[in-house]
Amino acid sequence: MSGCCVYGCTNRYSTGGLKFYRIPRGPRPFQSNRRRLWLQAIKRLDWNEDIIKNARVCSAHFISGEASLDSSSPDFVPSVFMYTKQSQNPNAKMDRYHRKRRRADTAANQRVTSETPEQECSMDPEQECSMDHCPAEEDIPVPKREYDDLNLRYSQLQEEYVNLAQTWSNYKHNNTIKYLIGITPAGAISFLSPGWGGRVSDKQITKESGFLKLLEPRDEVLADRGFLIRDELAAYGATLRIPHFTKGKKQLSAQEVDTSRQLSR
């Protein structure tokens, strides 16, 4: 998808000042429950996995402009839609949430203070502080707000990393993009797909770009060896023509050589 998947939203990746979030996924109950709530909110419960993995929700559908991993936050689930009448002011929801968070942080800080020994461990230049008296750094409580912010940032970095892996080409040793181009026997360009990350297979682009829907019975498609789409074309009554493979053979037969030569020409 080239933009936001929410019904009626026209925001695209080229729209400035917006972030785009993947629909939550993962095997854990927290992730699956959040995923269900998102799909319910954007009215896409009938979507299959192939559609969901490519779908994005823009930040315009979150009150604060950012998704939250805190289940008590109004932005745990997108809620700003043109087709939904707000029962109350969205900003009032966010203000109430922040007041609740401040109270929780204050209570947490008070607990930390009360649990801290009155006499701190002093460092003797000739004696290191023992583990029995000095708390380890990982034992120090972290405020929930800071934890959520770090968790959200981690998720964003992980998504950026995944997107960077989608464009990396081991063959080119660089980040690349792919386009599927269809050309008629006369040499005219008859099809041009949207751009895809360089790691995607030729087969996947062919299946998901809309190219197959343009085929007619008895069409012949000439393609390179990487296009393993014979069954997909057969479903539309079309035939795949590719050069013969030498894999598993010492050499091609005279007929195979002649056929491959004609196809290449």
Side-chain angles (χ1 to χ4, degrees), residues 186-197:
I189 295 178
S190 58
F191 180 81
L192 178 62
S193 75
W196 292 71

Side-chain angles (χ1 to χ4, degrees), residues 3-19:
C4 183
C5 68
V6 173
Y7 175 78
C9 183
T10 58
N11 290 331
R12 296 292 179 263
Y13 294 134
S14 58
T15 306
L18 291 176
K19 298 178 181 179

Side-chain angles (χ1 to χ4, degrees), residues 174-188:
N174 214 325
N175 294 97
T176 61
I177 57 176
K178 282 185 178 181
Y179 293 89
L180 178 66
I181 302 176
I183 304 175
T184 68

Side-chain angles (χ1 to χ4, degrees), residues 19 24 30 32 55-56 69 74-75 80 85-86 111 120 123 147 165 178 184 198 234:
K19 298 178 181 179
F30 173 85
S32 59
R56 302 291 185 274
L69 292 173
D75 282 336
V80 181
K85 184 178 180 180
Q86 298 289 339
R111 287 196 298 271
E120 296 182 355
M123 291 294 291
Y147 170 80
K178 282 185 178 181
T184 68

